[in-house]
Amino acid sequence: MFSFALSPEQQRLIAAFRNFGETVFTPERVFQWKRDQGLPDDVVKGFTDLYFSFESPTEQTFAHNIMSQTLILEELSRCAGATLPFQNDLFNLQIMNWFAESTTFSDALEFYRRTGRLMFSFAISEPTAGSDSMGMQTFTKTVDGKIILNGRKNYVNNGEYSPNILVAAIDKDEETPGKYPALAFWLIPRNLHGIRAYPINKIGQSMLPFASLSFEDVELKPEYRLSGNEGGFRQLFRLLEFGRVFICASSVGMAQAAMEDAVAHARNRTAFGTPISQFQQIEQLLTDMEVSLYNMRMMLYRAVWDIENDASNKRLSVALMKRYIPKAATEVASNAMQILGGLGYTEDSRVSSIWEDCRGNQIAQGTDQIMVYISAPLIMEKYEKEDVQ
Ligand SMILES: Cc1cc2nc3c(=O)[nH]c(=O)nc-3n(C[C@H](O)[C@H](O)[C@H](O)COP(=O)(O)OP(=O)(O)OC[C@H]3O[C@@H](n4cnc5c(N)ncnc54)[C@H](O)[C@@H]3O)c2cc1C
């Protein structure tokens, strides 16, 4: 049966990450690290040291079940009031874990444990294929016995800085691709001849700088190809569900941070000789924000529960969660800005940048509209089945 009660282990986990987050992510430092477009080495290493210190030796791969990862990301995003690289790291490791051979994956994991940095960025979106990833144009083809990569990727987090790129490309040597185009993943050094990276300026989420990447007649070694597991697009779509959970966990944490700032301001600010928290319209805003936070958490934990229990409706739960949470979080942040008045519209308060960060999550990992595109047929199917019963 679905339950919200946290186990003693989960409570210990949250307490440890809260202690880490509240010590490390002071508002002044977070402001600076957003300007620097990333976290310092000791902070990312501090995260991985703590993360892996909880690892149980019997647990597979990079440890912690998805519920624990969700709780960690939510708590740290609340402490920082900002999008952190960790959600990106955990999702990218998930992709690598599935598609790479075990030695390639363990090398990447070992590098991450040792440095706190991922050795690769993940490049999938393209100028002409964002939501419609099956329209991907980047491809490999064997020419005169050499494997050649051509194409473009955009919005690649850390694409300018990571030493390697995990590139999704259509395999044009595959003659019978079937229902889906033949998709392959390649882990390639970023300094290969023919690769160029161009920075793109984001309006928020600045600790994860974007880049656009171009590949022009890049010669690949066969061993760059990941061949641990097959599954192509079908498997990629399944794995995207993890990314959607992580991004929603971050949105909930940031919305909670905005709520806390709004309450603190409402308590301290007076207007017309009265604390603004006593004005009915501010009370209403705070009430609606709290309602949203309750709902967001329920959607998040419900989707995670459905994934963990392999429930038949898990795809629908994840799509509904991703449809609901980023937008609701953006609205909470926007209402927090309203409560802070002029201060809320400046860089001196963090609610303005929380709004920017939450807004990006309505686009990243599948837009609000794509969640309708996924949900609607599943809803039709669900009610059709119920009609039959
Ligand atoms: C903060 C952020 C981080 C990101 N990180 C990465 C990353 O690390 N790696 C990476 O590869 N990519 C990344 N992306 C890219 C992201 O995956 C794409 O931006 C997203 O999938 C949308 O694609 P697009 O921008 O091409 O928009 P499009 O697909 O062109 O969509 C444009 C508009 O049309 C709507 N639309 C499209 N299809 C439909 C439909 N069938 N029905 C209704 N409406 C539709 C969309 O909802 C949107 O409103 C990131 C994006 C953001 C904002």
Side-chain angles (χ1 to χ4, degrees), residues 122-125 130-131 154-157 205 210 360 363-365 367 369-370 373:
F122 182 43
I124 177 161
S125 295
S131 303
N154 59 4
Y155 314 132
V156 179
N157 284 322
Q205 304 197 0
F210 266 165
I363 299 167
Q365 296 281 355
T367 65
Q369 289 72 30
I370 289 303
Y373 178 83

Side-chain angles (χ1 to χ4, degrees), residues 117-134:
R117 306 258 181 223
L118 273 191
M119 64 190 278
F120 64 96
S121 52
F122 182 43
I124 177 161
S125 295
E126 299 188 1
T128 54
S131 303
D132 180 15
S133 48
M134 282 204 288

Side-chain angles (χ1 to χ4, degrees), residues 255-269 275-297 328 331-341 351:
Q256 182 66 49
M259 179 74 189
E260 290 167 13
D261 288 3
V263 170
H265 188 80
R267 191 172 277 137
N268 294 323
R269 177 74 175 170
I276 63 167
S277 60
Q278 290 175 16
F279 293 131
Q280 207 170 36
Q281 291 185 74
I282 301 293
E283 290 174 328
Q284 192 172 355
L285 281 175
L286 289 171
T287 304
D288 290 346
M289 290 159 72
E290 189 68 2
V291 168
S292 288
L293 280 162
Y294 268 62
N295 286 338
M296 281 189 257
R297 277 209 178 84
E331 279 166 13
V332 167
S334 177
N335 286 338
M337 285 165 77
Q338 200 65 27
I339 291 172
L340 266 73
V351 293

Side-chain angles (χ1 to χ4, degrees), residues 155-374:
Y155 314 132
V156 179
N157 284 322
N158 288 329
E160 218 189 337
Y161 304 109
S162 56
N164 299 281
I165 311 160
L166 182 57
V167 185
I170 302 299
D171 179 359
K172 289 220 173 162
D173 293 327
E174 174 72 54
E175 278 164 8
T176 49
K179 184 178 167 199
Y180 296 102
L183 176 72
F185 289 94
W186 300 80
L187 184 65
I188 63 177
R190 211 183 57 80
N191 59 4
L192 290 184
H193 186 71
I195 301 180
R196 287 201 175 77
Y198 309 89
I200 307 174
N201 291 328
K202 274 174 168 170
I203 65 161
Q205 304 197 0
S206 33
M207 285 189 217
L208 276 171
F210 266 165
S212 169
L213 299 169
S214 72
F215 309 99
E216 202 180 323
D217 292 332
V218 181
E219 189 179 331
L220 304 182
K221 293 184 183 163
E223 59 265 32
Y224 295 159
R225 183 171 176 146
L226 303 188
S227 50
N229 270 304
E230 291 304 318
F233 277 107
R234 192 188 295 277
Q235 188 59 28
L236 177 65
F237 294 150
R238 268 198 57 204
L239 293 170
L240 281 175
E241 295 187 347
F242 288 88
R244 287 172 186 154
V245 165
F246 296 160
I247 223 171
C248 286
S250 168
S251 297
V252 174
M254 290 191 290
Q256 182 66 49
M259 179 74 189
E260 290 167 13
D261 288 3
V263 170
H265 188 80
R267 191 172 277 137
N268 294 323
R269 177 74 175 170
T270 53
F272 301 93
T274 309
I276 63 167
S277 60
Q278 290 175 16
F279 293 131
Q280 207 170 36
Q281 291 185 74
I282 301 293
E283 290 174 328
Q284 192 172 355
L285 281 175
L286 289 171
T287 304
D288 290 346
M289 290 159 72
E290 189 68 2
V291 168
S292 288
L293 280 162
Y294 268 62
N295 286 338
M296 281 189 257
R297 277 209 178 84
M298 278 192 259
M299 301 280 292
L300 176 65
Y301 300 159
R302 173 64 197 258
V304 172
W305 192 90
D306 284 341
I307 292 175
E308 282 193 333
N309 291 282
D310 200 21
S312 58
N313 61 335
K314 68 180 178 185
R315 278 192 66 215
L316 180 59
S317 289
V318 171
L320 294 177
M321 167 202 73
K322 178 68 174 69
R323 166 75 179 167
Y324 179 75
I325 291 179
K327 189 160 181 266
T330 306
E331 279 166 13
V332 167
S334 177
N335 286 338
M337 285 165 77
Q338 200 65 27
I339 291 172
L340 266 73
L343 178 62
Y345 201 64
T346 69
E347 289 186 346
D348 291 337
S349 80
R350 59 179 189 167
V351 293
S352 54
S353 66
I354 291 177
W355 181 86
E356 288 170 343
D357 283 20
C358 288
R359 187 66 184 81
N361 290 346
Q362 290 184 239
I363 299 167
Q365 296 281 355
T367 65
D368 289 356
Q369 289 72 30
I370 289 303
M371 294 308 120
V372 175
Y373 178 83
I374 296 172

Side-chain angles (χ1 to χ4, degrees), residues 138-159:
T138 298
F139 70 95
T140 54
K141 186 161 179 56
T142 305
V143 182
D144 299 333
K146 293 176 180 165
I147 306 165
I148 305 296
L149 171 71
N150 275 290
R152 266 188 95 88
K153 298 285 178 184
N154 59 4
Y155 314 132
V156 179
N157 284 322
N158 288 329

Side-chain angles (χ1 to χ4, degrees), residues 18 22 25 72-82 84 249-250 252-258 260 297 350 354:
R18 175 169 302 163
E22 288 180 346
F25 296 116
I72 291 169
L73 293 171
E74 179 189 335
E75 187 56 34
L76 289 184
S77 305
R78 183 192 74 78
C79 295
L84 298 167
S250 168
V252 174
M254 290 191 290
Q256 182 66 49
E260 290 167 13
R297 277 209 178 84
R350 59 179 189 167
I354 291 177

